[in-house]
Amino acid sequence: ETGVTQSPTHLIKTRGQQVTLRCSSQSGHNTVSWYQQALGQGPQFIFQYYREEENGRGNFPPRFSGLQFPNYSSELNVNALELDDSALYLCASSTALEGAETQYFGPGTRLLVL
Amino acid sequence: GQQLNQSPQSMFIQEGEDVSMNCTSSSIFNTWLWYKQDPGEGPVLLIALYKAGELTSNGRLTAQFGITRKDSFLNISASIPSDVGIYFCAGRTYFGNEKLTFGTGTRLTIIP
């Protein structure tokens, strides 16, 4: 059974640029959630995708957007990067009907915005 | 965004000691979860609690869902070196809503 994988592992961007982060969900999981974890903080929910549609969103501006593909992998896109976007971005996959306790997290992508 | 209050923020203990940490919220949750995060890794689920007053164990770990639904506690007995890491609580408002609200974390360090 393949776990949740994320790419890239690390990324450096400059303010104003755009970034795309990728997540491959665990085999058999059809739901992907994205979280932002600032240094020294707990993860903050960005949004969730279920069957290629957004299914819930946290308190993040529209420049944070996402996609889910037919194979249930997902992308997180962030436009017009700001310094405060520097964080660890985590994705978690789950099977929707079983609830949040089955969320399996990937290792994250660490983004640094200069 | 909202974060749950965890205490203590950090703990320095000796191997073999017991550990207690708690998490409080201003909102009611219907599910409480406890995660552990190691450096360079994503959070790993330790214990899930579904009913107010519930007490659940997972090996040396025991967690309780507070009666008010606004708090939860995690205890670790006889700590070992691999317990080092950051522990997060997380709450979920209702089943089917996958959004998790995480706590601020408790960093556990074991002194040799």
Side-chain angles (χ1 to χ4, degrees):
Chain A
E1 187 177 81
T2 307
V4 179
T5 59
Q6 292 186 242
S7 63
T9 56
H10 296 81
L11 202 54
I12 300 175
K13 290 284 189 178
T14 56
R15 201 168 41 178
Q17 285 189 310
Q18 178 265 343
V19 69
T20 298
L21 311 181
R22 295 178 175 82
C23 172
S24 291
S25 58
Q26 183 158 320
S27 176
H29 287 182
N30 55 16
T31 302
V32 174
S33 303
W34 285 92
Y35 292 81
Q36 180 195 65
Q37 186 176 21
L39 200 62
Q41 301 290 319
Q44 297 253 9
F45 177 75
I46 303 175
F47 44 54
Q48 179 189 82
Y49 278 83
Y50 171 62
R51 291 186 176 177
E52 303 177 55
E53 303 239 340
E54 188 177 290
N55 180 41
R57 188 179 183 95
N59 189 27
F60 281 81
R63 59 189 185 83
F64 284 78
S65 63
L67 283 173
Q68 187 179 30
F69 300 100
N71 67 353
Y72 304 128
S73 65
S74 178
E75 285 183 355
L76 164 65
N77 299 292
V78 187
N79 294 322
L81 283 167
E82 301 177 359
L83 298 180
D84 285 349
D85 295 334
S86 295
L88 180 68
Y89 288 85
L90 296 162
C91 85
S93 74
S94 59
T95 302
L97 294 179
E98 294 181 21
E101 68 274 19
T102 59
Q103 282 192 21
Y104 294 91
F105 283 84
T109 293
R110 188 162 296 282
L111 172 65
L112 177 62
V113 182
L114 301 175
Chain B
Q2 180 191 10
Q3 291 221 302
L4 308 178
N5 295 315
Q6 273 186 253
S7 64
Q9 189 174 17
S10 59
M11 302 183 73
F12 296 84
I13 63 167
Q14 291 190 319
E15 184 176 349
E17 287 187 24
D18 296 344
V19 172
S20 291
M21 61 188 78
N22 66 61
C23 187
T24 59
S25 169
S26 56
S27 307
I28 287 174
F29 289 106
N30 289 323
T31 301
W32 281 95
L33 307 168
W34 284 92
Y35 287 85
K36 178 173 181 277
Q37 187 173 26
D38 293 327
E41 304 285 334
V44 174
L45 181 66
L46 300 174
I47 290 182
L49 302 156
Y50 303 107
K51 289 170 59 174
E54 179 181 357
L55 187 70
T56 297
S57 293
N58 178 9
R60 294 177 296 105
L61 277 62
T62 301
Q64 184 160 25
F65 191 142
I67 290 290
T68 65
R69 298 190 174 190
K70 293 183 177 181
D71 58 7
S72 180
F73 305 87
L74 176 69
N75 296 310
I76 305 172
S77 62
S79 58
I80 60 177
S82 61
D83 291 334
V84 167
I86 303 177
Y87 291 79
F88 289 101
C89 62
R92 183 180 63 179
T93 49
Y94 60 90
F95 189 84
N97 178 353
E98 298 285 319
K99 171 187 173 181
L100 297 178
T101 301
F102 280 81
T104 49
T106 294
R107 181 182 293 275
L108 179 63
T109 302
I110 295 183
I111 306 167

